[in-house]
């Protein structure tokens, strides 16, 4: 894509080149090492998660899928979600700060469901990046958003109310987390409720090339992490939410006090889209690589958290610096190199009923090359299997109320994935 929008986004997700830090950034910037460069200090010993249950076996997906256009007319969409409220509607997140409704019949409602463009900074990888509805939205009308605040470029996670279910009220915003952000890239953006009822939040390593502040491996920062908070319990003192006591570094976790209590997993570079398998509860994470490897990670249901996914010591299964390190962390279930893609878009396991040939398969994509993938499983070997080459800039997949899968293209289209 050669439009000005693509230039502005700077490959929206990958952020492989250095960028100019925001005014609040520390002055240090790091690029990928060159011959003769000094290796960064070794990270401190990482806490080890307790053993977790064996996940459900992975299965190979179909050899092909097709795309069925649902609607166009969207502006730089970066997400699509369902409210699970019995209406069959889809809610499309536009990067500039709007959420649009696509009715069950596929028609696009002209009036936004939410419009906070006046307070959103939409530049490079910043913007309104995430939306999720409370599991009881049908009765409590609560939803949650992840965006970059225009006034100071901080990452904000907020709760908003939609009194009648037809339109959210920006004046009802209640910030839960406000995180000063040193750079414009690697912001994560995904929000999802797990089978446990807690809110999971994806945050990138904070930006610039090579994780210059070693945020991925530090347990004293929220960057480069998957967070887990309770938005239904009485908030903890000094917080706008409660921390689940069984989070890995909370009071009843695997290593109390070893890290910030909100942290659920760490070692992530830019987790652009994660999802829970609605049948098994397994968690799938698409983590955008630095310069060579894209990866999909999986955390099995029943995990107690604390998984380290390796960044920035590891990129996929490979040592990041010179290919020399003491390998650490949980290996991805699949990785692919730059010969077939450049910015992974995490997807979903299909659990609908209209495409029987897709049931149980995991589908994901690549933003830069427009490829849709599934998994090819041969015994213990798992590879990324391209099943559809497109000219689209895929920014996100989404799951309908009925388990059907959808995809949005940065140019403004919403598609339904179907069996070919």
């Amino acid at each position: 894509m050669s439009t000005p929008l693509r230039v502005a986004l700077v490959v929206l997700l990958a952020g492989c080149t250095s960028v100019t830090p925001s005014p609040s950034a520390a002055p240090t910037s790091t690029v990928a090492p060159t011959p003769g460069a000094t290796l960064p200090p070794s990270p401190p010993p990482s806490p080890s998660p307790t053993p977790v249950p064996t996940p459900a076996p992975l299965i190979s997906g179909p050899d092909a899928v097709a795309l069925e256009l649902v609607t166009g007319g969207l502006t730089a969409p970066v997400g699509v979600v369902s409210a699970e409220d019995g209406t069959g509607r889809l809610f499309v997140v536009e990067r500039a700060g709007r959420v649009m409704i696509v009715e069950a019949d596929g028609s696009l409602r002209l009036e936004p469901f939410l419009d906070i463009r006046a307070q959103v900074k939409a530049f490079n990888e910043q913007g309104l990046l995430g939306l999720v509805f409370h599991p009881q939205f049908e009765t409590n009308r609560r939803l949650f958003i992840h965006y970059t605040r225009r006034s100071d470029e901080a990452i904000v996670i907020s709760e908003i109310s939609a009194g009648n279910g037809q339109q959210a009220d920006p004046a009802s915003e209640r910030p839960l987390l406000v995180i000063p952000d040193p750079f414009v890239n690697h912001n994560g953006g995904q929000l999802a409720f797990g089978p446990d009822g807690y809110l999971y939040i994806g945050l990138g390593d904070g930006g610039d090339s090579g994780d210059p502040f070693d945020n991925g491996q530090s347990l004293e920062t929220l960057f480069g992490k998957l967070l887990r908070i309770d938005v239904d319990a009485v908030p903890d003192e000094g917080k706008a939410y409660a921390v689940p006591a069984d989070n890995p570094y909370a009071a009843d976790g695997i290593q109390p006090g070893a890290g910030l209590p909100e942290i659920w997993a760490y070692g992530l570079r830019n987790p652009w889209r994660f999802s829970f398998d609605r049948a098994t509860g397994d968690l799938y994470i698409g983590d955008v690589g630095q310069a060579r490897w894209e990866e999909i990670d999986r955390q099995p249901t029943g995990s107690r958290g604390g998984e380290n996914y390796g960044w920035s010591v590891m990129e996929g299964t490979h040592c990041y610096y010179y290919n020399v390190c003491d390998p650490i962390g949980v290996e991805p279930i699949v990785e692919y190199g730059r010969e077939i893609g450049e910015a992974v878009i995490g997807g979903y396991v299909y659990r609908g009923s209209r495409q029987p040939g897709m049931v149980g398969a995991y589908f994901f994509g690549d933003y830069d090359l427009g490829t849709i993938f599934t998994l090819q499983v041969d015994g213990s070997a798992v590879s990324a299997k391209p099943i559809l080459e497109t000219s689209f800039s895929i920014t996100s997949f989404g799951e309908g109320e009925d388990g059907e899968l959808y995809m949005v293209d940065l140019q403004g289209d919403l598609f339904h994935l179907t069996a070919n």
Side-chain angles (χ1 to χ4, degrees):
M1 180 177 74
S2 59
T3 64
L5 179 57
R6 180 185 178 94
V7 175
L9 290 176
V10 191
V11 197
L12 182 62
L13 312 171
C16 295
T17 57
S18 295
V19 297
T20 303
S22 65
S24 61
T28 303
S29 166
T30 302
V31 296
T34 56
T38 301
L39 286 171
S42 299
S46 301
S48 299
T50 54
V52 297
T54 301
L58 296 167
I59 69 169
S60 294
D63 293 330
V65 291
L67 293 176
E68 175 185 76
L69 180 65
V70 178
T71 187
L74 298 158
T75 303
V78 294
V80 53
V81 300
S82 166
E84 304 286 335
D85 61 352
T87 65
R89 299 176 295 176
L90 294 172
F91 296 78
V92 179
V93 179
E94 294 184 339
R95 179 175 166 269
R98 295 194 309 179
V99 176
M100 307 300 291
I101 292 178
V102 178
E103 304 287 3
D105 63 3
S107 61
L108 176 64
R109 186 183 297 183
L110 297 181
E111 184 180 18
F113 173 74
L114 175 66
D115 189 347
I116 56 169
R117 287 175 292 179
Q119 68 198 66
V120 171
K121 177 69 177 293
F123 170 74
N124 196 280
E125 293 175 32
Q126 300 169 318
L128 178 60
L129 303 179
L131 165 71
V132 70
F133 291 86
H134 192 280
Q136 280 77 54
F137 174 76
E138 188 173 0
T139 55
N140 67 22
R141 302 307 189 192
R142 300 167 67 195
L143 57 131
F144 302 83
I145 57 175
H146 181 306
Y147 70 94
T148 306
R149 189 162 62 186
R150 182 185 296 272
S151 61
D152 57 3
E153 301 189 25
I155 293 173
V156 180
I157 314 298
S158 287
E159 176 179 337
I160 289 182
S161 298
N164 59 5
Q166 299 302 313
Q167 193 167 43
D169 179 11
S172 70
E173 180 180 5
R174 183 175 72 92
L176 303 179
L177 277 167
V178 177
I179 307 166
D181 192 4
F183 298 100
V184 297
N185 57 349
H186 305 179
N187 301 313
Q190 182 72 17
L191 302 172
F193 278 93
D196 52 17
Y198 295 131
L199 177 62
Y200 289 73
I201 302 165
L203 292 176
D205 64 13
D208 212 5
S209 180
D211 191 12
F213 305 131
D214 298 319
N215 288 332
Q217 291 299 306
S218 171
L219 295 177
E220 298 305 319
T221 176
L222 299 180
F223 286 119
K225 309 299 187 294
L226 195 64
L227 311 181
R228 179 181 185 243
I229 64 173
D230 187 344
V231 296
D232 293 320
V234 175
D236 295 342
E237 184 177 357
K239 301 181 185 292
Y241 52 86
V243 173
D246 61 349
N247 272 7
Y249 313 122
D252 298 334
I254 55 176
Q255 288 186 298
L260 298 179
E262 292 87 351
I263 295 173
W264 179 252
Y266 65 108
L268 295 166
R269 180 179 178 273
N270 191 19
W272 184 261
R273 303 316 182 207
F274 61 84
S275 66
F276 291 92
D277 181 344
R278 62 167 63 190
T280 68
D282 291 344
L283 170 63
Y284 290 78
I285 308 168
D287 197 17
V288 181
Q290 173 69 45
R292 293 176 295 168
W293 299 100
E294 305 298 309
E295 67 183 89
I296 300 290
D297 300 302
R298 180 170 69 156
Q299 183 188 81
T301 186
S303 167
R304 294 190 65 192
E307 283 85 350
N308 177 7
Y309 292 106
W311 177 254
S312 61
V313 176
M314 311 294 294
E315 185 181 8
T317 61
H318 309 266
C319 295
Y320 172 56
Y321 286 95
Y322 301 123
N323 282 328
V324 176
C325 70
D326 292 325
I328 63 171
V330 179
E331 290 192 353
I333 58 168
V334 69
E335 65 180 6
Y336 64 88
R338 290 301 164 89
E339 71 279 4
I340 63 172
E342 299 187 5
V344 68
I345 306 296
Y348 290 79
V349 176
Y350 178 78
R351 295 297 180 185
S353 59
R354 293 164 57 186
Q355 324 293 328
M358 293 167 49
V359 173
Y362 178 72
F363 297 89
F364 59 105
D366 189 272
Y367 166 82
D368 214 52
L369 297 188
T371 305
I372 296 177
F373 299 94
T374 187
L375 302 180
Q376 181 64 48
V377 182
D378 297 307
S380 61
V382 183
S383 58
K385 179 168 69 171
I387 54 175
L388 185 64
E389 305 289 341
T390 81
S391 60
F392 303 125
S393 296
I394 301 168
T395 54
S396 191
F397 294 86
E399 192 174 31
E401 193 168 348
D402 57 0
E404 292 300 304
L405 296 187
Y406 297 86
M407 183 204 87
V408 283
D409 165 37
L410 190 65
Q411 292 304 303
D413 295 324
L414 170 69
F415 295 95
H416 175 212
L417 268 68
T418 66
N420 190 341

